Amino acid sequence: NGNVKVNYNPGNYNLYLSYGIRKDNRDRTNLDTRRQIDTASQSSYYNGNLLSYASPLSNMIQLSMDYHLDEENQFGISGNYFVNIFTRTDNLNAVLLDDASVRAREYERNRYDPEYEKEYGYTTYVEHQFPKEGHKLRFEFTGTQSPEEEDNHFTNIFLFPGSPTNYDNTLIKQADNKNQISLEYSNRLTERSTLEAGYTGQFNRADLDFRAESFDATRQQFVRDSVKTNQFLYDGTIHAAYGTYKELFGAFGFQAGMRIEQSNIKSDLVTRDSIFENSYVNLYPSLHLSYKMSTAAELQLSYSRRTNRPRGEDLNPFPEYRDPRN
């Protein structure tokens, strides 16, 4: 694990560069023991012992520049890049026992899985500082992309009773693109009062693609598994406008705000040829009160309404198949 940072500031502009690298080992052991009862009230048992190995290597780069055109105006741009690449190998030994605890089946399921996770994006802004202190206007735009991929190759070896080895693959691809635009205004009206207002727009898109295939020994080629293959697309747009007013009355502090959001959500179940859309408007008020009892103590009372939205992958109704039991 290491990091290097360099900063250069000759006066009216500032340059910043950082690079980080991380290497770690992930050796995992998992024991899965189950008792299963069928419709005839007969018990059977499953014991699965999984050994998993991976050694990810991550690289992180960030580069940014801020430039002061004059005392009132400045702009900046920054970019970042993250990549995590590794190969995961699994060995699963599974034993199935009948109701008398006699071995009925035993097999191994081995996985070879090259994976990667990436994230790259940029942020740019323009800021204007009015002559009065605390009076400014800022515009900012941020764009990020986060592609991920798992390329799973499974080999199934049947130890008891013996039968030919077979193969299956799953390719899991996920792309998450996010853009955000914001306009922020703040004005210190007096020594004891401040007004803040602004607009934020979020534009999110996710593409979750799961492809499954199995090896056909007769045709000697991999064949798409239409039952397990699926794709889910998510589009979410949120427009928000807000305003906050803050003032001090002696030892008493008051801050009130209101945020209004227009949300437009679209979920496309590509595999099922189904589209669901949802649009709604929500209000999010906030109120903060404070009273300074002394130089060492302050009493505060706050209320705010918030929301925690699910990500696109949280709304995906399709499962990912790891093996016949998971």
Side-chain angles (χ1 to χ4, degrees):
N1 183 30
N3 190 270
V4 176
K5 300 179 181 181
V6 179
N7 195 84
Y8 178 65
N9 186 351
N12 60 344
Y13 67 91
N14 185 77
L15 295 176
Y16 173 81
L17 171 67
S18 72
Y19 170 73
I21 186 171
R22 184 177 69 241
K23 177 78 170 178
D24 59 295
N25 296 321
R26 301 179 184 178
D27 301 337
R28 300 174 179 173
T29 302
N30 183 71
L31 180 62
D32 182 4
T33 302
R34 309 186 189 192
R35 179 190 178 195
Q36 304 164 135
I37 302 176
D38 61 19
T39 55
S41 299
Q42 294 292 318
S43 296
S44 62
Y45 304 90
Y46 169 85
N47 297 319
N49 187 20
L50 175 68
L51 303 177
S52 178
Y53 305 95
S55 186
L57 176 65
S58 301
N59 289 273
M60 297 150 281
I61 301 174
Q62 181 179 351
L63 177 64
S64 64
M65 181 196 73
D66 298 291
Y67 189 85
H68 290 262
L69 297 170
D70 49 45
E71 293 184 355
E72 297 180 349
N73 300 286
Q74 71 177 49
F75 73 90
I77 186 170
S78 64
N80 64 281
Y81 178 76
F82 166 84
V83 59
N84 182 19
I85 300 176
F86 61 96
T87 298
R88 187 194 308 276
T89 57
D90 291 354
N91 174 257
L92 170 66
N93 177 261
V95 179
L96 289 85
L97 309 174
D98 61 18
D99 58 344
S101 296
V102 176
R103 183 179 66 162
R105 289 178 59 201
E106 182 178 0
Y107 64 91
E108 289 185 352
R109 181 169 170 83
N110 301 322
R111 174 167 68 147
Y112 173 77
D113 168 30
E115 292 189 29
Y116 70 77
E117 300 175 4
K118 298 179 181 180
E119 181 175 312
Y120 45 89
Y122 70 95
T123 298
T124 183
Y125 76 89
V126 178
E127 184 173 298
H128 175 73
Q129 179 72 49
F130 294 94
K132 186 174 67 173
E133 183 181 355
H135 190 194
K136 65 180 181 180
L137 182 66
R138 180 185 175 95
F139 172 82
E140 184 173 294
F141 178 82
T142 299
T144 62
Q145 296 187 3
S146 306
E148 301 179 16
E149 182 176 294
E150 286 185 34
D151 191 6
N152 296 293
H153 302 268
F154 293 99
T155 302
N156 305 289
I157 304 172
F158 300 95
L159 305 176
F160 181 83
S163 61
T165 299
N166 64 33
Y167 309 90
D168 61 277
N169 302 325
T170 59
L171 179 63
I172 305 172
K173 303 180 73 173
Q174 178 172 317
D176 195 5
N177 301 330
K178 298 181 179 179
N179 294 309
Q180 178 170 306
I181 186 173
S182 64
L183 182 64
E184 301 175 352
Y185 173 79
S186 63
N187 187 2
R188 190 174 181 182
L189 303 175
T190 67
E191 288 293 325
R192 305 181 68 83
S193 63
T194 303
L195 174 66
E196 296 179 353
Y199 161 81
T200 301
Q202 299 180 27
F203 311 90
N204 304 327
R205 177 176 174 83
D207 184 352
L208 310 176
D209 195 1
F210 184 92
R211 304 176 190 176
E213 60 182 14
S214 57
F215 187 74
D216 188 324
T218 304
R219 299 162 60 181
Q220 287 294 299
Q221 66 182 28
F222 281 94
V223 178
R224 179 177 179 266
D225 188 332
S226 59
V227 175
K228 297 179 180 179
T229 297
N230 57 69
Q231 186 179 13
F232 176 72
L233 300 177
Y234 168 84
D235 278 288
T237 301
I238 302 172
H239 300 280
Y242 65 91
T244 302
Y245 180 76
K246 185 191 311 180
E247 187 161 359
L248 294 175
F249 303 95
F252 179 75
F254 167 85
Q255 178 178 314
M258 178 63 73
R259 179 184 179 93
I260 181 171
E261 291 188 354
Q262 166 69 51
S263 301
N264 302 296
I265 308 298
K266 179 181 178 182
S267 299
D268 187 353
L269 284 64
V270 179
T271 312
R272 301 288 177 85
D273 195 22
S274 299
I275 295 178
F276 300 91
E277 296 183 274
N278 188 17
S279 299
Y280 55 91
V281 176
N282 269 333
L283 296 176
Y284 299 94
S286 62
L287 179 64
H288 304 275
L289 305 175
S290 65
Y291 181 74
K292 197 168 187 63
M293 297 182 291
S294 68
T295 56
E298 185 178 73
L299 181 66
Q300 295 183 353
L301 177 65
S302 301
Y303 165 82
S304 62
R305 181 171 185 251
R306 301 180 182 180
T307 185
N308 186 14
R309 290 185 174 87
R311 298 169 298 173
E313 61 185 288
D314 299 323
L315 297 175
N316 184 5
F318 297 116
E320 292 182 5
Y321 295 87
R322 182 57 47 87
D323 57 54
R325 296 174 179 269
N326 296 285

